[in-house]
Amino acid sequence: MVWSNIVRPPYAGVSYAGYNRVLERLSYSRPNLTVVDWAGITQGQSGLLGSDGIHASAEGDAVRAQAIASAIRSCGGVQAYGGAAGVPGD
């Protein structure tokens, strides 16, 4: 399972940092969970987020997709999509 953490400004004064910490902690106890650090990737990288500071720009979508694809390829015992017999799209 591959999940991405969240990037967004605080909502009603509440940060999403707590959610991201919980997700990261869950990954320590669940070897089948890989977290893509989207929050970390976007820090200091202008152009990855749109003007709302939440949604990815076109460049950001490409960078996040590459990060997720890389995480999927690194999953133990799992072949990357398109590499296993019988997977739709092969």
Side-chain angles (χ1 to χ4, degrees), residues 2 5 18 20 36 38 43-44 46 62 64 67 69-70 73 77 81 84-85 90:
V2 175
N5 61 17
N20 288 343
V36 172
W38 179 237
Q43 284 183 342
S46 64
R64 184 171 48 193
S70 177
R73 283 191 299 271
Y81 179 79
D90 277 355

Side-chain angles (χ1 to χ4, degrees), residues 4-7 16-25 35 39:
S4 174
N5 61 17
I6 292 177
V7 173
Y16 278 78
Y19 166 83
N20 288 343
R21 282 193 301 273
V22 168
L23 186 58
E24 188 65 27
R25 285 186 198 132
V35 177

